Amino acid sequence: MSNSKTFSNNLFALNKPLIVAVTGASGVVYSIRLLDFLLACGQKIELVFSNAALRVFQEEHDIILPINDSKEKILQALNLPESRTDLVNIHKSNDYGASIASGSYPSMGMIVIPCTLGSLGSLACGLSQNLIHRAGLVTLKERRKLVIVLREMPYGHIQLKHMLALSEAGAVITSASPGFYHKPQTIQDQIDFVVGKVIDLFDLDNNLFKRWKVDSLNSSQA
Ligand SMILES: Cc1cc2nc3c(=O)[nH]c(=O)nc-3n(C[C@H](O)[C@H](O)[C@H](O)COP(=O)(O)O)c2cc1C
């Protein structure tokens, strides 16, 4: 058997893409910060926005995402570096033929940020109503990491059951609930806290937020 078939993809495996899905919950700014960080790190990204997310970008940031335009234009609208478009593939939320709809396409996992209760429910019930749900369910069946960043309060009984079902299936359930022990001074500090904690789940080094007693840990080791 030829070695080329066995080993030619090693480079791809070293930097597998991360799937980032943005749904129509309040706090789409978390997704912008996450994308900004990942692009700065040179992380490959497979990106998809739900239809409702487009509406929230408009409501919360007056951003009309040119979703049918080039990825350069989309990154530009989000104030993200267009120079790193080589790292990003942007998929239409109704494109079931996209790479990330198949488990044979490698990824290091998926983050849904922010995640609506609607998308939570679809994932928990195994419904592929759009590409985000399909990619999330594929991520779970392939035993890859799926991180859900919910934004809602309060939670009802149904959503709590959905969270438990997804957690039992292997997903990591988080909420956009920043702490205050790092004495935040700005809204950006709070955004960075949430995004930094999410990035931690993928073991990617980051200093987006001040860690509890890490200074004293370093000084006691010195
Ligand atoms: C401005 C705005 C803010 C919203 N915020 C939330 C929210 O924080 N959490 C949530 O679950 N749904 C929220 N919604 C409702 C969802 O967008 C709606 O349920 C939608 O069907 C979700 O679809 P998706 O999961 O495909 O994005 C919001 C809608 C709008 C227009």
Side-chain angles (χ1 to χ4, degrees), residues 187-217:
I187 291 177
Q188 189 64 48
D189 289 341
Q190 296 302 69
I191 295 166
D192 285 356
F193 183 97
V194 169
V195 173
K197 294 281 286 181
V198 169
I199 291 167
D200 274 1
L201 291 167
F202 284 88
D203 290 330
L204 296 170
D205 283 344
N206 77 87
N207 59 358
L208 289 183
F209 64 104
K210 192 171 180 318
R211 293 165 192 280
W212 181 245
K213 297 203 169 167
V214 165
D215 293 345
S216 62
L217 176 72

Side-chain angles (χ1 to χ4, degrees), residues 45 53 110 182 204:
I45 301 163
M110 174 167 171
H182 60 307
L204 296 170

Side-chain angles (χ1 to χ4, degrees), residues 23-26 50 52 55-56 59 116-117 119 130 151-152:
T23 67
S26 187
S50 75
R55 170 73 187 271
V56 179
E59 298 287 347
T116 63
L117 299 186
S119 286
N130 64 26
R151 211 307 314 170
E152 187 56 278

Side-chain angles (χ1 to χ4, degrees), residues 61-200:
H61 300 282
D62 298 321
I63 292 174
I64 297 176
L65 269 192
I67 202 67
N68 294 317
D69 216 322
S70 64
K71 55 185 177 179
E72 284 81 2
K73 286 275 190 296
I74 295 173
L75 293 190
Q76 196 178 41
L78 293 171
N79 213 10
L80 291 167
E82 299 151 62
S83 56
R84 299 318 319 258
T85 46
D86 55 313
L87 294 170
V88 191
N89 288 319
I90 303 181
H91 306 280
K92 298 268 184 338
S93 63
N94 62 357
D95 183 7
Y96 291 105
S99 56
I100 57 173
S102 169
S104 65
Y105 187 75
S107 84
M108 64 187 279
M110 174 167 171
I111 305 173
V112 188
I113 180 169
C115 184
T116 63
L117 299 186
S119 286
L120 170 80
S122 295
L123 287 164
C125 298
L127 305 178
S128 287
Q129 289 170 313
N130 64 26
L131 177 63
I132 294 174
H133 312 149
R134 169 66 188 165
L137 293 167
V138 164
T139 301
L140 284 180
K141 85 176 175 67
E142 298 294 331
R143 306 296 193 267
R144 298 172 187 150
K145 188 171 276 185
L146 173 64
V147 174
I148 306 282
V149 187
L150 293 164
R151 211 307 314 170
E152 187 56 278
M153 67 181 291
Y155 294 121
H157 193 79
I158 289 172
Q159 288 91 42
L160 290 167
K161 288 209 294 200
H162 286 162
M163 284 183 227
L164 183 60
L166 273 181
S167 177
E168 285 173 347
V172 181
I173 307 296
T174 72
S175 58
S177 54
F180 285 84
Y181 55 81
H182 60 307
K183 299 191 175 64
Q185 303 297 309
T186 62
I187 291 177
Q188 189 64 48
D189 289 341
Q190 296 302 69
I191 295 166
D192 285 356
F193 183 97
V194 169
V195 173
K197 294 281 286 181
V198 169
I199 291 167
D200 274 1

